[in-house]
Amino acid sequence: MSSWQQTLAYFFRLPFHIQWRTFLVQLPRYVPLSIIHLTSPKGPHPFVIALPSRRNNKIPIYVFVPPRPVDLDVNGEDTQEGDGEWKVPVVLDFHGGGFIMGSPLEQAPYCAMMSRELGAVVISVSYRIGPFHQFPAAIHDAEDVLSAILDTDGTSKAGKVLRTEIQRHYSLMWKADRKRSHTLASHLHKSTITLDPTRLSISGFSAGGNIALNMAISAPACGLDFGLSPSATITSSPTPAFSSLLPPTRAETVLNDPEQPWPTLLPPPQARPRLIPLLLFYPSLDARLLPHLRPMKPLPNALHGTDKKPQKPKAPGLFSIMGPTYLPKRLRAHPRASPGLGNPDDVQRNAAIFLVLPEKDTLAVQSDVWVDKMNSSGWNGPVRFGDGRAGDWNEHEGGPSQAQGHENGGLEVWHAPGCRHGWTQFPETVLGKHEKRERDLVFARALNFVKEGWRREVTVERLGTRNQEMRPLEIPC
């Protein structure tokens, strides 16, 4: 039986209430790529690479190549020059959708903006989602794309394919520009484009923010936390009724022995002290409660500390119904499923975190709890409330995270009063004047945050017992 036949057989064995919802939420992934010319008219527009992954899987990635270099002035270095090469930074991006929907197509305006304004190659990942795939499929896909980016020597198949396809696309652009004009921009004299992962940023929205933070975490052995024996293995099945339905080609996401640690692929500060900016837009940090069960009122949040009105009960919505098809209840507390539950010391020390928290969000409470935990462990930085209070941070360079002597990249928090979850990705036609202004402000700050991060280095000598051992890059198989 072929792969698509197995997929259809699996789909028709699902309960009907899952079937029709799956059909609806999967539709955006089949929208033609040409729609991006309408949603993101400024460009650049992406091309798609089927990146080889573990177990003979292929991951669709949407690649945005910048139209021209941007002078980032990284520690006084010339970031554009090379011996016949155009060295470009890299932004790795993950869309949202609660691990059951979403597509890089919705990220096109953001990714194109980051590519234009940073002169970076932006890679948006179409990672695997439920119900056809289950935890930790999305994280495996993210790791495989990250490993291909870090594979500067092209020793892996994915690393070779990534660089070959980006060069092929750039060569077509280069030849087309030569035909159009005899007066070329300086970078167009360089016929070779080279990824520079020493200037790397990782961004994610909602579920994508969960994945982005995952890339900077080294999860410790945690089997005993789940009440498992040391030899137990966690398999990725949402419920007993579902596990027997998965065809062999879909059942590859089996979590490793939970007694074994799960390290990040990112290089330790000793190997690469330059900061790695993480842009986390309203991330999902704690998956233990389904969306309709998350508290919004019982705990006062940062913007309205005196608001103690009782929360009204809510009926299960789409994400509460479909979510367990990707992440079963018994795995929700795993530190890779709920990265906000982990120890702050397990976060990569050369990560600089920019956290965006809209006020009208079911994730607001868990985000505030995580911020307090991170702050108490030395992850500090400026906090912007944006509600007109006296002494609020002015959103410009020079906040507490810029102080010398920090042992990590710092945590900067941006509160967005009056904004909804996902507002940064909504079409302008559904946004009010306030949300449009907030989106412009937060994106402008995100760009500056990345530029500032690429100019800074963490103080490696002060890491002390938190030192991470030097380790070679391991390509997942």
Side-chain angles (χ1 to χ4, degrees):
M1 185 181 295
S2 65
S3 176
W4 69 269
Q5 288 175 322
Q6 291 177 339
T7 299
L8 286 177
Y10 171 63
F11 176 78
F12 286 114
R13 290 174 183 168
L14 296 174
F16 179 71
H17 74 281
I18 297 293
Q19 283 182 352
W20 71 265
R21 287 179 172 87
T22 299
F23 177 77
L24 290 179
V25 300
Q26 292 279 343
L27 283 178
R29 291 205 160 196
Y30 297 97
V31 173
L33 188 61
S34 57
I35 195 69
I36 289 180
H37 291 269
L38 298 177
T39 61
S40 180
K42 292 183 179 180
H45 300 123
F47 68 101
V48 182
I49 299 175
L51 194 72
S53 178
R54 65 188 78 186
R55 308 262 180 143
N56 296 320
N57 183 41
K58 291 187 182 295
I59 308 168
I61 60 173
Y62 290 61
V63 182
F64 299 74
V65 176
R68 63 188 62 83
V70 173
D71 185 9
L72 299 172
D73 188 25
V74 179
N75 297 330
E77 302 172 9
D78 189 341
T79 60
Q80 303 169 15
E81 293 299 326
D83 187 11
E85 296 179 342
W86 179 20
K87 297 179 67 176
V88 292
V90 185
V91 176
L92 177 60
D93 178 66
F94 302 99
H95 66 80
F99 296 104
I100 52 98
M101 62 184 296
S103 162
L105 290 174
E106 69 195 41
Q107 298 293 105
Y110 165 81
C111 292
M113 175 201 68
M114 297 292 281
S115 184
R116 289 193 309 269
E117 301 299 326
L118 295 175
V121 165
V122 180
I123 299 173
S124 189
V125 183
S126 184
Y127 54 86
R128 289 172 292 171
I129 57 178
F132 296 109
H133 304 281
Q134 292 149 7
F135 175 82
I139 301 170
H140 282 172
D141 288 352
E143 286 183 328
D144 292 352
V145 177
L146 178 58
S147 69
I149 293 171
L150 298 176
D151 182 18
T152 54
D153 296 328
T155 57
S156 67
K157 184 178 180 180
K160 291 178 183 177
V161 169
L162 178 64
R163 285 158 176 79
T164 298
E165 290 301 306
I166 291 177
Q167 178 60 50
R168 181 185 63 81
H169 179 81
Y170 176 71
S171 295
L172 294 175
M173 293 172 52
W174 185 73
K175 291 177 181 178
D177 283 331
R178 285 179 63 90
K179 289 181 179 180
R180 281 198 298 265
S181 175
H182 295 289
T183 306
L184 302 177
S186 61
H187 74 283
L188 292 179
H189 288 296
K190 305 182 192 307
S191 59
T192 302
I193 187 170
T194 304
L195 299 183
D196 180 13
T198 65
R199 289 175 291 151
L200 170 68
S201 178
I202 305 176
S203 64
F205 296 71
S206 191
N210 176 299
I211 299 173
L213 181 58
N214 254 294
M215 295 301 96
I217 287 178
S218 292
C222 56
L224 295 179
D225 294 344
F226 290 92
L228 301 174
S229 64
S231 61
T233 300
I234 299 177
T235 57
S236 302
S237 55
T239 66
F242 276 57
S243 61
S244 61
L245 300 179
L246 278 173
T249 56
R250 299 286 180 173
E252 63 239 5
T253 55
V254 178
L255 203 61
N256 294 330
D257 183 347
E259 283 300 297
Q260 299 301 315
W262 193 342
T264 174
L265 292 175
L266 293 178
Q270 292 83 354
R272 193 172 299 165
R274 183 177 292 165
L275 294 187
I276 302 173
L278 299 184
L279 308 179
L280 309 182
F281 294 83
Y282 33 89
S284 170
L285 301 172
D286 185 350
R288 290 176 298 177
L289 293 180
L290 293 175
H292 74 288
L293 299 175
R294 293 171 185 161
M296 289 189 68
K297 295 294 184 181
L299 293 177
N301 64 44
L303 291 177
H304 300 284
T306 60
D307 186 357
K308 299 180 181 179
K309 297 178 183 178
Q311 178 179 330
K312 295 181 180 179
K314 294 182 292 183
L318 174 67
F319 293 103
S320 292
I321 296 171
M322 295 287 292
T325 68
Y326 175 79
L327 179 63
K329 182 177 181 179
R330 63 194 180 90
L331 293 179
R332 291 176 195 161
H334 190 281
R336 288 297 189 181
S338 298
L341 300 181
N343 190 325
D345 288 343
D346 295 329
V347 180
Q348 188 82 350
R349 308 307 291 179
N350 56 346
I353 303 174
F354 179 61
L355 179 65
V356 179
L357 304 179
E359 176 186 0
K360 299 177 180 179
D361 190 355
T362 62
L363 301 173
V365 171
Q366 61 173 257
S367 299
D368 285 339
V369 170
W370 184 69
V371 169
D372 289 342
K373 182 167 69 172
M374 293 290 284
N375 289 165
S376 65
S377 296
W379 287 83
N380 303 109
V383 180
R384 183 264 194 187
F385 293 96
D387 56 1
R389 67 181 63 187
D392 198 4
W393 187 54
N394 63 4
E395 309 159 18
H396 298 295
E397 187 175 0
S401 68
Q402 306 299 316
Q404 297 297 321
H406 268 259
E407 296 183 352
N408 55 59
L411 169 63
E412 180 176 321
V413 182
W414 179 290
H415 289 279
C419 294
R420 297 163 286 175
H421 181 92
W423 101 99
T424 58
Q425 310 311 107
F426 292 167
E428 287 199 6
T429 54
V430 302
L431 291 179
K433 183 177 180 181
H434 171 72
E435 286 185 323
K436 288 180 183 178
R437 178 181 178 276
E438 279 291 307
R439 182 169 66 178
D440 291 342
L441 289 173
V442 74
F443 280 169
R445 179 56 198 153
L447 288 168
N448 286 331
F449 185 85
V450 173
K451 294 176 183 178
E452 293 165 14
W454 285 343
R455 296 189 192 111
R456 295 175 54 213
E457 294 184 355
V458 70
T459 308
V460 177
E461 293 78 10
R462 293 177 59 87
L463 293 179
T465 57
R466 294 174 179 171
N467 255 347
Q468 297 183 11
E469 294 181 0
M470 297 285 286
R471 58 184 181 278
L473 173 66
E474 295 182 4
I475 306 299
C477 58

